[in-house]
Amino acid sequence: MASDLTAPKPGWAALLREHARQHTPATLGLALALLGVLALLAQSLVQLATGNAAPGLRLAMLGGMAAFATTALGALPALAMRAMPQRVEDSLLGMAAGMMLAASAFSLLLPGLASATEILESKPLGAGVVVFGMALGVLLMLGLDAFTPHEHDKTGPCGPGYERCSRIWLFVFAIALHNLPEGMAIGVSFSQADMAVGLPLTTAIALQDIPEGLAVALALRGAGFAPGFAVLVAVATGVLEPVGALLGVGLSSGLALAYPTGLGLAAGAMIFVVSHEVIPETHRNGHQTPATLGLMAGFALMMVLDTTLG
């Protein structure tokens, strides 16, 4: 037993290589997806650097930065607060999940169906394009999830016995991970400089990022981390919002069908993360009813935002 405790633990690089070897299909799919993502990001950055950025790119950047700012704003009260009741935290996360689901339906899938149907002049074909985009979003999230540290996964990139693979870090990673498709949703929705599509979605995402930033910071404080570090990590989870916005614009700046496909991709990724990470997190503490009521309230709030601002 003593030799096990004193034996050097394998480094992160070795653990990732071993994890990739054990999950070859997911690794190949994720590598291809990341290459495409990097290409889209490079395209968006070139457009911005050369001054040839379309109005939609500028709007997407502003939207992504707004979501990042509200994440940071939500985290700041954790400097003075120790914790919030678990029931309240689960209710707020449930509300965030509801807003994300409604945003996927009303601000992504419906505009995507309308756009694809108009381009192809066929409702079935238009629906097929959006479903294809959703499938791509789910595949991207599945590839990322294969490298997400889970408590029950003893072969993950952290390996067995690593404290940073605890529930709290899984939760933080899940929140950070879903900010990427959120940002992509902002970028795709603004890619045509259509305020009626982009403004309601961005407003909803920015609003629900406030309780998310606070939840991450308080969770880290409750685990014993210093207030400054907890807030810094919570703020850092929002960095993927503007990055995702740039990716979303790049995704929709090519072929005409890339726009509805991109809307479907962002919606599929968001729905996957809500179902796979956020909702289970709100139900694991025995507060299913307040979390579900929060989800319904968030869904209704997003509908109001969509009809009022759209």
Side-chain angles (χ1 to χ4, degrees):
M1 178 65 68
S3 60
D4 292 339
L5 295 175
T6 58
K9 293 185 175 71
W12 278 89
L15 287 168
L16 286 173
R17 285 196 299 269
E18 178 62 19
H19 194 66
R21 186 186 65 80
Q22 296 177 2
H23 299 80
T24 302
T27 302
L28 293 177
L30 181 59
L32 291 175
L34 290 179
L35 285 176
V37 165
L38 290 175
L40 293 170
L41 179 59
Q43 173 181 301
S44 298
L45 291 176
V46 168
Q47 291 177 352
L48 184 63
T50 58
N52 296 324
L57 179 56
R58 297 184 179 92
L59 290 173
M61 288 184 61
L62 290 175
M65 291 305 300
F68 169 72
T70 55
T71 301
L73 180 65
L76 290 179
L79 291 172
M81 298 171 60
R82 176 64 183 177
M84 68 169 63
Q86 189 63 52
R87 180 184 296 268
V88 175
E89 182 178 325
D90 289 338
S91 299
L92 290 176
L93 283 177
M95 179 177 290
M99 297 183 75
M100 290 168 64
L101 289 175
S104 298
F106 299 117
S107 294
L108 292 174
L109 294 178
L110 291 181
L113 289 169
S115 175
T117 299
E118 181 180 357
I119 293 171
L120 297 175
E121 299 181 350
S122 170
K123 288 185 177 181
L125 290 178
V129 168
V130 175
V131 169
F132 174 71
M134 292 180 65
L136 290 178
V138 171
L139 288 174
L140 176 60
M141 291 299 104
L142 282 172
L144 290 173
D145 184 67
F147 287 87
T148 303
H150 293 268
E151 286 183 296
H152 58 270
D153 186 2
K154 302 307 181 184
T155 62
C158 294
Y162 275 53
E163 291 81 1
R164 286 184 179 271
C165 286
S166 65
R167 180 181 65 85
I168 185 61
W169 284 107
L170 173 61
F171 168 67
V172 171
F173 188 87
I175 293 294
L177 181 64
H178 96 272
N179 282 338
L180 181 63
E182 276 189 2
M184 290 173 63
I186 292 174
V188 172
S189 66
F190 271 129
S191 61
Q192 304 299 313
D194 189 347
M195 295 293 289
V197 174
L199 185 58
L201 176 68
T202 301
T203 302
I205 289 177
L207 287 175
Q208 59 95 13
D209 278 340
I210 296 176
E212 283 183 4
L214 180 60
V216 170
L218 289 179
L220 288 168
R221 288 211 62 184
F225 291 96
F229 177 80
V231 171
L232 182 62
V233 172
V235 171
T237 63
V239 172
L240 290 179
E241 296 277 6
V243 173
L246 286 175
L247 292 176
V249 174
L251 182 69
S252 303
S253 60
L255 298 174
L257 283 177
Y259 177 62
T261 302
L263 289 173
L265 187 151
M270 288 177 67
I271 294 172
F272 177 90
V273 174
V274 168
S275 175
H276 196 64
E277 299 289 357
V278 181
I279 290 179
E281 181 63 33
T282 65
H283 285 200
R284 68 182 301 148
N285 300 301
H287 301 140
Q288 294 90 333
T289 298
T292 300
L293 292 176
L295 184 146
M296 299 301 296
F299 197 96
L301 176 60
M302 178 55 204
M303 285 196 300
V304 173
L305 288 171
D306 186 72
T307 56
T308 302
L309 300 178

